[in-house]
Amino acid sequence: MVKVVKFGGSSLASAEQFMKVGDIIRADKARRYVVPSAPGKRNSKDTKVTDMLYACYALAEEGKDFRVPLMKIKDRYDSIINGLQLKTSLDEEFKIISEMFKKKAGSDYAASRGEYLNGIIMADYLGYEFIDSATVIFFDENGNFDADKTDKVLSEKLANIENAVIPGFYGSLPDGTVHTFSRGGSDITGSIVAKASRASIYENWTDVSGCLVADPRIVPNPEPIRVITYRELRELSYMGASVLHEDAIFPVRKAGIPINIRNTNDPEAEGTMIVESTCQKPDFTITGIAGKKGFVAVNIDKDMMNAEVGFCRKALEAFEENGISIEHMPSGIDTMTVFVHQAEFEGKEQQVVSSLRRLAAPDVIDLEADLALIAVVGRGMKSARGTAGRIFSALAHANINVRMIDQGSSELNIIIGVSNDDFERAITAIYDIFVETRL
Ligand code: ASP
């Protein structure tokens, strides 16, 4: 059995954290392939090594002296090495990095050194082989991940190696230069390694015990989610509940490998299992609640709208023309509403209104700002009667005015629009009605 384990930055921020990680890996022989992030924050005022690298490289690019900030980065690693009582020396590596910075090797190269160096330390600490990800993870000329080439090279490589450390976040372009995924991309590397090694599970170790039913900044001590499907997770992450880089799902999902989100600081906790499908009933009717503030509702009215062929297309074209993406679109008989992101819309408001007038000639256009959208997500809602009724009665009891309702045809989610000011209270009311009653 093979388990791939990825550790996030906070799990590897200091020698103490490294020791916890070492214990976790040694506790299970199946944990054969390890994907580390760069050292993260040791406390809330600290700076992630990746951010230090970007800042240091920015100086190099401007031709300024970057020696002091680069030494500070080296100090971070040296304190881990000393704390673990290792003999590893990064002196040569830092000489090379300094030379490469002078040659302006690029910000991707700079940022990737965070995981690269942490990988060297990790491999030494565990006695595992170190594999430079630039030799096994590939991108095409346009910087898109090359899944086929990577899977071929990486699976062949791993087939002959019992235990290895493969740093997260980067790979190489066809010309050999280092290229990174977007921020948080070590999650993707973990998923790629899990697929290539035909792992039975991808354990993603972080600093929370998995996904929670609601945001802990809004609901104190929310219940954890034990099992969630990829689709549910996608709905919740889209609405702001992020535990994992969005793109990390694809490689393992295709291969049918579950992801287990675990907590390095609480290794006994089971965490959350992310799976393709499950017959396990969720603990409550709903799996999770998430939401975002800052939407505008563009209400468009026109008599006999429903009889006019092509009206919706013309109205939507007004948004497309101005490069505005659309979030939701509930409609009535002679009215349709388009929800858009306030920040994106504000600067283009009048252009959109005039495009709408020209293209769709509606009777009334009415704009309503400062709205929030809340997604109530759950595979269990399909078979439960009265879910919507319970949501709306909870909101009514909390004195919250519902401005919009949209239920996806998959019955996996119900989206509710409320005013920004009611956002937190609405989430709490919905959480309470399902979770506090345990139904
Ligand atoms: N170290 C990189 C970042 O801070 C990648 C990662 O941690 O996943 O974004």
Side-chain angles (χ1 to χ4, degrees):
M1 170 138 112
V2 177
K3 291 182 182 176
V4 168
V5 284
K6 180 260 167 180
F7 291 89
S10 59
S11 302
L12 299 169
S14 64
E16 291 70 39
Q17 289 298 91
F18 255 79
M19 287 179 205
K20 291 184 195 169
V21 167
D23 290 343
I24 290 166
I25 295 168
R26 284 187 286 260
D28 186 346
K29 274 202 149 20
R31 292 181 175 136
R32 290 174 47 195
Y33 303 119
V34 181
V35 176
S37 277
K41 294 183 182 192
R42 291 161 294 186
N43 53 59
S44 57
K45 292 202 183 74
D46 207 6
T47 312
K48 292 172 85 170
V49 164
T50 310
D51 292 320
M52 294 169 87
L53 283 161
Y54 278 123
C56 182
Y57 184 72
L59 292 175
E61 206 158 41
E62 289 168 22
K64 292 193 181 139
D65 187 354
F66 58 84
R67 280 173 299 181
V68 174
L70 192 62
M71 273 308 116
K72 283 203 174 132
I73 297 170
K74 185 162 186 293
D75 288 347
R76 286 285 306 263
Y77 287 106
D78 283 342
S79 81
I80 295 174
I81 292 171
N82 296 335
L84 296 174
Q85 298 180 328
L86 295 174
K87 295 202 176 62
T88 323
S89 165
L90 297 179
D91 293 353
E92 280 308 309
E93 293 292 348
F94 271 90
K95 268 192 207 143
I96 298 172
I97 293 171
S98 179
E99 285 310 309
M100 292 295 278
F101 274 31
K102 280 183 204 147
K103 283 192 204 147
K104 308 211 167 127
S107 62
D108 276 16
Y109 167 79
S112 75
R113 296 306 88 184
E115 332 326 84
Y116 170 80
L117 296 167
N118 232 16
I120 292 178
I121 299 177
M122 175 69 89
D124 242 12
Y125 178 52
L126 296 170
Y128 280 20
E129 188 164 326
F130 174 78
I131 301 176
D132 183 354
S133 301
T135 63
V136 287
I137 306 252
F138 303 106
F139 297 89
D140 65 18
E141 311 63 48
N142 304 318
N144 297 316
F145 172 57
D146 187 338
D148 293 338
K149 183 174 171 196
T150 300
D151 199 53
K152 188 169 179 299
V153 174
L154 185 57
S155 56
E156 274 168 22
K157 175 105 190 171
L158 295 179
N160 301 313
I161 301 177
E162 189 62 22
N163 298 107
V165 173
I166 306 110
F169 192 37
Y170 72 95
S172 60
L173 294 167
D175 68 0
T177 44
V178 167
H179 187 69
T180 63
F181 291 107
S182 57
R183 295 299 303 265
S186 299
D187 283 342
I188 309 174
T189 310
S191 182
I192 293 165
V193 174
K195 178 167 190 278
S197 62
R198 317 278 179 263
S200 52
I201 193 162
Y202 167 26
E203 291 180 347
N204 187 295
W205 292 80
T206 171
D207 51 8
V208 290
S209 295
C211 311
L212 302 168
V213 173
D215 186 338
R217 287 166 300 188
I218 299 175
V219 175
N221 289 320
E223 291 283 337
I225 300 173
R226 286 188 303 127
V227 183
I228 188 168
T229 64
Y230 287 118
R231 289 182 63 206
E232 288 174 314
L233 183 72
R234 168 105 176 96
E235 299 278 351
L236 288 172
S237 353
Y238 186 70
M239 277 299 197
S242 67
V243 279
L244 201 67
H245 192 296
E246 287 228 313
D247 296 343
I249 287 178
F250 302 109
V252 279
R253 185 177 183 177
K254 267 196 196 147
I257 301 167
I259 306 175
N260 188 195
I261 308 284
R262 300 286 291 268
N263 188 350
T264 301
N265 304 316
D266 184 10
E268 299 305 315
E270 281 175 27
T272 300
M273 275 296 216
I274 308 169
V275 298
E276 175 65 46
S277 61
T278 174
C279 58
Q280 263 200 48
K281 280 220 174 98
D283 292 336
F284 317 101
T285 307
I286 60 163
T287 302
I289 313 163
K292 280 192 207 163
K293 287 183 179 180
F295 290 95
V296 171
V298 182
N299 299 310
I300 307 160
D301 290 2
K302 187 174 190 183
D303 281 344
M304 303 303 286
M305 175 193 291
N306 72 331
E308 183 179 329
V309 174
F311 182 85
C312 285
R313 182 187 50 75
K314 289 180 227 155
L316 293 182
E317 208 179 314
F319 293 87
E320 188 182 354
E321 208 175 73
N322 292 288
I324 304 268
S325 66
I326 284 165
E327 204 64 18
H328 279 282
M329 219 179 53
S331 64
I333 297 174
D334 288 334
T335 147
M336 66 186 272
T337 302
V338 180
F339 274 79
V340 292
H341 290 269
Q342 193 155 339
E344 205 178 278
F345 182 73
E346 262 166 1
K348 294 180 178 166
E349 176 193 86
Q350 291 312 312
Q351 284 107 293
V352 175
V353 170
S354 74
S355 302
L356 268 171
R357 292 241 168 263
R358 173 169 47 81
L359 293 162
D363 297 333
V364 183
I365 301 171
D366 176 42
L367 305 177
E368 216 180 324
D370 301 322
L371 296 174
L373 291 175
I374 296 171
V376 185
V377 175
R379 60 189 182 279
M381 300 198 311
K382 203 169 181 167
S383 51
R385 260 172 300 153
T387 310
R390 289 172 71 194
I391 295 174
F392 298 117
S393 92
L395 293 174
H397 276 106
N399 236 334
I400 293 165
N401 187 13
V402 175
R403 317 286 281 271
M404 191 272 296
I405 305 167
D406 193 358
Q407 177 173 28
S409 52
S410 60
E411 288 189 60
L412 191 68
N413 63 2
I414 297 178
I415 311 277
I416 300 146
V418 298
S419 125
N420 274 349
D421 296 339
D422 289 333
F423 179 68
E424 286 84 5
R425 281 192 316 115
I427 289 189
T428 309
I430 299 168
Y431 180 87
D432 286 348
I433 197 78
F434 289 101
V435 180
E436 293 300 320
T437 58
R438 315 247 131 216
L439 285 170

